[in-house]
Amino acid sequence: MGKSKIEWCDRTWNPVTGCTKFSDGCLNCYAERMHKRLEHIKGSGYDDGQPHFSIRLHPERLEEPLKWKKPQRVFVCSMGDLFHEAVHDSWIRDVFHIMDNARQHTFILLTKRPKRAKWFLGYDRIDMAKDYPNIWLGVTVENQQAADERIPLLLQTPAAKRFLS
């Protein structure tokens, strides 16, 4: 992907796109609106005839960060959620493998599914601070209920750095 207009990152990287709505934070999803615009543009990667905003894995994008030599702050899955239940564990491992091999970059993961992130990172017994010091993990908290549910899960999840959005 190209340069980003998001002020807290330099680029976006979308090896996974699409999502399903499940909380109040999903009501005005910018990624879904952007997807709707892009699915009509030939060659955009969203014009494949799949159901609108369905989960898509993009193997052709997987190795993109390995080609970027200059250190970048990379928003991972700005057009989806890496920890969506429809994304296979093996694909998440592949994404982590790329992030591990591109340590010159800082990868910023944001999810509304911290329970899956906690399970995945705990299941694989990953020491994020030691094994992946270049990966930050954050959760979206759109209201107090989401904060009460997601922040404790984030705090229980191994991460080099944690943040809230």
Side-chain angles (χ1 to χ4, degrees), residues 55-124:
I55 298 295
R56 293 171 174 86
L57 307 182
H58 297 276
E60 73 282 3
R61 297 177 182 175
L62 189 61
E63 295 185 358
E64 286 177 347
L66 300 175
K67 298 172 187 171
W68 308 327
K69 300 305 176 202
K70 180 182 170 196
Q72 309 275 328
R73 288 171 301 162
V74 182
F75 183 8
V76 180
C77 298
S78 66
M79 294 290 288
D81 192 330
L82 181 63
F83 295 106
H84 190 283
E85 54 276 2
V87 179
H88 299 286
D89 292 348
S90 61
W91 186 252
I92 297 172
R93 281 187 195 93
D94 289 347
V95 170
F96 269 79
H97 178 74
I98 295 297
M99 293 186 291
D100 185 40
N101 285 296
R103 289 195 177 214
Q104 71 272 28
H105 307 308
T106 299
F107 293 95
I108 304 167
L109 297 170
L110 180 62
T111 185
K112 288 186 181 78
R113 293 168 172 85
K115 186 183 255 184
R116 174 111 193 269
K118 178 184 174 210
W119 175 87
F120 179 82
L121 296 169
Y123 178 81
D124 274 6

Side-chain angles (χ1 to χ4, degrees), residues 8 74-76 106-111 135-141 150-151 154-155 159-165:
W8 46 266
V74 182
F75 183 8
V76 180
T106 299
F107 293 95
I108 304 167
L109 297 170
L110 180 62
T111 185
I135 300 175
W136 300 1
L137 180 63
V139 295
T140 301
V141 289
R150 296 178 190 154
I151 292 172
L154 176 65
L155 293 173
K161 290 194 181 189
R162 297 177 190 90
F163 67 95
L164 302 176
S165 172

Side-chain angles (χ1 to χ4, degrees), residues 18-33:
C19 204
T20 51
K21 295 182 185 222
F22 78 105
S23 77
D24 289 345
C26 302
L27 296 177
N28 296 306
C29 178
Y30 81 91
E32 183 178 22
R33 285 192 315 272

